[in-house]
Amino acid sequence: MDAVGLLIDDTSWTSEKRVKLLRQTELFGKFPYGALRTLLLASRLIALKKSRRLFSENDAAQSGFLLAEGVLRYDLGGASEQPTYLTPPAVIGETALVIGCLRPVTVSAETDSVLIEIPRATFLRVIAEYPECAAHTRRLLSGHLRKLVDGLDAVQLRLVAIASDRLPARDAAPRR
């Protein structure tokens, strides 16, 4: 299990309230009601108290999460990295819903929070049963990967420029 939070009584979290929350996200916003209902039937609500970890970097990922209430903190590791803060309706672990992977970040509750945990097995079943959901997920994740690659290309160009400024010119005469 990824989450270290407590399962909570979900009577105040009606199906309609959960569907409305899912529909506000980029990932689930275009899924038909039947697909969302299948996801919600297998999901569970988790309460995460302030400062508690949802998961740590390099944990095995078996599910994704939807932040329903509160604020979460993403820590990328390394003292120089600034944390990122997430507010509802944030999806945490999109990639983990599609493939088995290790968590790339540590996520903890900045405030008391409520999350919906969605098992990967259920998500995979939904995209197998609803081709339009599979196509939407593919487009979305492809777009995210394209942005990542573009960002890495920009970093590579900057590093090459920095390295070339530091290297002596090949045509220059040796210094004495």
Side-chain angles (χ1 to χ4, degrees), residues 16 19-20 52 55 66 70 90-91 96 99-100 118 124 129 141:
E16 292 78 26
V19 166
K20 184 177 178 183
R52 292 293 310 262
F55 52 77
L66 176 64
V91 176
I99 60 171
I118 301 168
L124 293 175
E129 292 175 11
L141 292 179

Side-chain angles (χ1 to χ4, degrees), residues 1-167:
M1 177 176 88
D2 282 317
V4 295
L6 302 171
L7 295 177
I8 61 174
D9 174 27
D10 61 0
T11 53
S12 66
W13 285 87
T14 64
S15 290
E16 292 78 26
K17 186 175 180 179
R18 293 184 210 188
V19 166
K20 184 177 178 183
L21 189 65
L22 285 167
R23 288 209 186 277
Q24 293 174 28
T25 67
E26 189 177 21
L27 177 59
F28 299 113
K30 295 185 179 181
F31 281 28
Y33 181 80
L36 296 176
R37 185 91 174 116
T38 300
L39 291 171
L40 291 175
L41 287 172
S43 70
R44 59 190 190 149
L45 283 173
I46 297 170
L48 195 62
K49 293 290 184 189
K50 180 180 179 174
S51 300
R52 292 293 310 262
R53 275 197 185 141
L54 180 61
F55 52 77
S56 296
E57 184 177 358
N58 294 321
D59 283 353
Q62 302 297 320
S63 58
F65 298 89
L66 176 64
L67 178 59
E69 289 180 358
V71 178
L72 295 181
R73 175 185 169 123
Y74 253 52
D75 286 304
L76 296 172
S80 65
E81 293 292 330
Q82 292 295 326
T84 299
Y85 296 93
L86 302 172
T87 57
V91 176
I92 298 98
E94 282 179 345
T95 305
L97 287 170
V98 180
I99 60 171
C101 59
L102 298 178
R103 300 285 184 188
V105 297
T106 296
V107 175
S108 56
E110 187 70 14
T111 66
D112 288 352
S113 300
V114 175
L115 299 108
I116 300 171
E117 183 177 21
I118 301 168
R120 179 174 54 246
T122 304
F123 184 82
L124 293 175
R125 190 174 82 235
V126 164
I127 63 173
E129 292 175 11
Y130 293 87
E132 68 273 29
C133 295
H136 173 70
T137 301
R138 184 184 145 287
R139 279 190 304 275
L140 182 68
L141 292 179
S142 294
H144 292 331
L145 288 173
R146 252 192 280 8
K147 287 178 188 173
L148 175 63
V149 169
D150 290 346
L152 291 173
D153 287 346
V155 169
Q156 179 185 15
L157 289 174
R158 279 186 267 155
L159 290 174
V160 167
I162 290 168
S164 66
D165 286 346
R166 292 185 180 162
L167 295 175

